[in-house]
Structure formats: C-alpha cells, structure tokens
Amino acid sequence: MDVSVSEFYTDKTVFITGGSGFIGKVLVEKLLRCCPVRKIFLLMRPKKGGSLKARYHELIRSRAFDNIRQDPLIFEKLHLIRGDILQENLGMSDADRQLVQEETNIVFHSAACVKFDMFIRDAVQMNVVGTRRVLELVEGIHNLDVFVHLSTTYCRSDLPLLEEKVYPSKHNPDDVIHLTKWMDDGVLKHLEPKLIEPEPNTYGYTKSLAEQIVAEFSGKFPICIARPSIVVAALKEPFPGWVDNINGPTAIIVGASKGILMTSF
C-alpha cells in the first residue's frame, strides 16, 4: 500500500458495515495489516440462536486473517457493534450510536444483498433503506474524514460506458420505498420487471437507487463511491486464490474444476 495512503489511517477509527462478507473480510484484513488504525467498529447482528461473541470468533477464524494471526494483539482493534441495517436506527443502542458518532473518522458501507433474484421489496429494504439509515448515522459523526459507499459497476448496466460520476436513478428512491411498503406481494411481483427495466435484476436497480440516496448527502460530508465489477478469488491478498463464497463466476469455476460442468465441442 502507498505510504501516503497508509498515513491517512494513522490513529483513525473506522466503522464498517458488512465486515463479515467476502469484501468486508478483505477490507478488515488489509486495514489491520497495512494501516495504523486505532480501532475498527464492525456493525454486526448475531446469527439466529447465537451470540455476538460467537459471530466474532467465527469471523476471526477465517483464513483471510492467517497472515496477521501471529500478532496476538491485532484483533484487539476490532470492536463489534450490535446492529442490523434492516432495523430502524440500525438496531443500535443509544450508547453505541453515541460512541460511534464521537469516535469514528472513516466509514465503509459495504453491507448489501448481492442476490440478483431477490424480491424487489427485500432488495429495496436492504440496499436502499439500509443505505439511508447508515447515512443518517454518518450525518451525526463529529470528525468524519470520508464516507465510502460500496456500489457496483452494474448500477447502470444499460450504459456502454460508466464514467466516474453519479447517474440519476430511473425513479425517485422515496417513491419506490413507499411503493414497496403498501403494495401486496402479488401485484409487486407482477410489476417488478417493468419497474426495474432496463436493469436485468433487482440488484443493479436497487444499487442505482442507493447511489441516488448517497448523492442526496453530497455537500454534508466527504463522500466516495466505489464500483467493483465481478468479484472473484483474490489475486494476491490476503493470499492468491482466497475466496469464501461461490457467488457469480466462482460457482462456474468450482463446478468445472470438480467435473460437474462438462462442455462438448
């Protein structure tokens, strides 16, 4: 990592949503290994029937952290914040909310549903409403350096070239949120293809709406939107070939390597 970038994180506190996901783990590992951060807050909800502590131990057991495990104190920088982007006020306690807003300097919002076929109501709640809730939390942070929103290059898949600018969403996010609140499942399912058109799935459509939500906070604090494309196994870090899911093309690669997928020429 460039020295100037590393110095940016000196003695900073970072708040991350989606830290237990594939990209989230890579981000947390990179920050712990390369950046002199003071503390990392991870917004996390306990799995059903489990505790937050169990979720924490599950996270740090990941092979993504094998390169830094020799430092016995490295994981002491991780602090779990109980919460859920699907709940009002992120499901955070007043004490945790105050703590985060007083101490955080950098925010990475990477929590999202990446299922292409998710029902429109659920996708809107996760990717659009959830993003607004995070932004409302960030708005109250006292010493914010930057808010980084993880979007996707498929937020406007109808465009042949996606430039580094925010494109207005097809619909007003508030109108779509309201629509998904009162319309019954049957009618909403029927309207879904026309609603998301020309996007091929609810993922790209709701990520476009989320970018519009983020743009509404422009001028209030520094904002950066990152748009990764297809996510596959790691090239170098945390080590070559690391991946912890079978989403997207990874499933095809795994199927082919195991001889499940066969093609005749």
Side-chain angles (χ1 to χ4, degrees):
M1 177 173 284
D2 186 90
V3 174
S4 62
V5 175
S6 177
E7 289 177 347
F8 174 75
Y9 289 91
T10 301
D11 202 33
K12 302 288 188 180
T13 294
V14 182
F15 177 82
I16 300 175
T17 70
S20 61
F22 174 60
I23 291 181
K25 290 189 184 81
V26 173
L27 173 61
V28 171
E29 191 273 344
K30 184 73 171 180
L31 290 173
L32 291 175
R33 178 166 49 86
C34 299
C35 302
V37 296
R38 183 169 64 91
K39 186 184 298 184
I40 299 178
F41 290 127
L42 296 176
L43 184 72
M44 192 172 292
R45 60 180 176 82
K47 286 188 175 180
K48 190 174 183 180
S51 66
L52 204 60
K53 187 176 181 179
R55 191 85 190 271
Y56 166 77
H57 287 296
E58 179 185 350
L59 171 67
I60 64 174
R61 281 198 301 268
S62 170
R63 288 194 61 200
F65 301 106
D66 283 357
N67 290 333
I68 60 174
R69 210 176 296 282
Q70 66 272 17
D71 183 348
L73 303 178
I74 194 71
F75 295 113
E76 291 186 5
K77 292 187 176 184
L78 299 181
H79 298 263
L80 268 58
I81 300 292
R82 182 184 296 268
D84 186 349
I85 65 171
L86 291 177
Q87 295 182 17
E88 289 295 328
N89 297 317
L90 298 173
M92 295 170 60
S93 68
D94 292 340
D96 282 344
R97 195 175 187 89
Q98 182 178 357
L99 175 68
V100 168
Q101 290 180 329
E102 288 180 352
E103 296 193 13
T104 299
N105 307 111
I106 300 161
V107 176
F108 289 94
H109 175 44
S110 65
C113 177
V114 298
K115 293 180 180 178
F116 287 176
D117 59 349
M118 177 172 260
F119 183 44
I120 184 67
R121 190 195 316 281
D122 300 325
V124 166
Q125 282 297 309
M126 176 72 77
N127 296 340
V128 186
V129 179
T131 296
R132 171 166 283 164
R133 288 173 178 147
V134 174
L135 285 161
E136 289 169 349
L137 170 73
V138 172
E139 197 172 15
I141 292 178
H142 304 318
N143 298 297
L144 184 71
D145 290 328
V146 65
F147 167 77
V148 182
H149 171 68
L150 195 69
S151 184
T152 173
T153 54
Y154 302 103
C155 64
R156 286 297 301 271
S157 56
D158 57 308
L159 299 177
L161 175 64
L162 195 69
E163 298 180 8
E164 292 189 2
K165 64 180 184 180
V166 176
Y167 293 87
S169 56
K170 177 184 175 183
H171 300 124
N172 184 310
D174 290 320
D175 292 340
V176 178
I177 292 170
H178 178 66
L179 181 75
T180 58
K181 282 183 177 179
W182 66 265
M183 189 171 287
D184 66 72
D185 288 356
V187 176
L188 194 54
K189 189 69 176 178
H190 178 74
L191 291 178
E192 183 180 296
K194 282 295 182 182
L195 185 65
I196 69 174
E197 190 181 47
E199 295 299 327
N201 51 62
T202 57
Y203 173 66
Y205 175 71
T206 54
K207 293 298 275 187
S208 174
L209 294 173
E211 283 201 8
Q212 185 73 44
I213 293 283
V214 172
E216 293 175 2
F217 286 77
S218 176
K220 295 183 177 181
F221 43 79
I223 293 173
C224 174
I225 296 178
R227 291 174 176 152
S229 56
I230 296 175
V231 178
V232 293
L235 176 64
K236 293 181 180 180
E237 301 175 349
F239 53 85
W242 182 76
V243 66
D244 73 343
N245 61 56
I246 54 172
N247 294 332
T250 303
I252 299 175
I253 295 171
V254 171
S257 65
K258 290 183 174 293
I260 299 172
L261 299 180
M262 294 177 287
T263 303
S264 299
F265 296 93

